[in-house]
């Protein structure tokens, strides 16, 4: 089992940047593929990005491709989401998730463990 805690959310102006972190504890972090999802008010949770166990494979939602970068540091048990050129439509609660597999997925049901979320608000 793994516990996940996100941090780094906040209020930022459109065009700005934020870096989210997700710290993992418990079972060996490198055993999990990791993903980021987000849920905007009144909307369903949606996939943002995933990274494989060894960082060799990353996938992004079309809406964030070229602006967001997912990375991980297995020595620090942490996964990151660097968000650049933020837009008001990026406003959401961002969740990290762990999947007990080599590669993550784009569906939330594929993930076994979830953090509590961190809120990101992008003002226009």
């Amino acid at each position: 089992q793994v516990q996940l805690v996100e941090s780094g959310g906040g209020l930022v102006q459109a065009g700005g940047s934020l870096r989210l972190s997700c710290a993992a504890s418990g079972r060996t972090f490198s055993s999990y593929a990791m993903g980021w999802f987000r849920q905007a008010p009144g909307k369903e949770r949606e996939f943002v990005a995933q990274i494989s166990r060894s960082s060799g494979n990353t996938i992004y939602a079309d809406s964030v491709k070229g602006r967001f970068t997912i990375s991980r540091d297995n020595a620090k048990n942490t996964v990151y989401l660097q968000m650049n050129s933020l837009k008001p439509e990026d406003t959401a609660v961002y969740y990290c998730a762990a999947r007990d597999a080599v590669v993550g997925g784009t569906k939330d049901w594929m993930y076994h463990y979830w953090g509590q979320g961190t809120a990101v608000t992008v003002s226009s």
Side-chain angles (χ1 to χ4, degrees):
Q1 192 169 358
V2 64
Q3 292 77 43
L4 305 172
V5 179
E6 302 96 334
S7 61
L11 174 64
V12 63
Q13 288 189 331
S17 298
L18 281 175
R19 188 176 81 154
L20 305 183
S21 300
C22 173
S25 60
R27 190 181 154 190
T28 306
F29 176 69
S30 58
S31 299
Y32 296 92
M34 299 298 296
W36 285 97
F37 289 76
R38 66 186 182 186
Q39 187 166 21
K43 295 188 177 181
E44 293 188 352
R45 187 162 54 188
E46 65 174 0
F47 169 77
V48 175
Q50 75 89 35
I51 188 165
S52 62
R53 284 178 182 174
S54 64
S55 304
N57 175 275
T58 57
I59 300 174
Y60 297 91
D62 288 343
S63 59
V64 307
K65 204 171 293 183
R67 300 188 298 122
F68 290 12
T69 303
I70 188 171
S71 62
R72 65 189 296 164
D73 186 337
N74 287 344
K76 295 183 178 180
N77 292 347
T78 303
V79 62
Y80 305 98
L81 186 68
Q82 178 66 44
M83 306 187 296
N84 299 329
S85 302
L86 282 161
K87 305 175 181 180
E89 51 263 44
D90 294 319
T91 295
V93 176
Y94 284 72
Y95 299 89
C96 72
R99 185 186 189 199
D100 192 0
V102 173
V103 180
T106 62
K107 305 296 185 183
D108 56 5
W109 54 262
M110 294 177 173
Y111 290 81
H112 301 93
Y113 303 102
W114 292 83
Q116 83 291 346
T118 186
V120 172
T121 302
V122 184
S123 63
S124 57

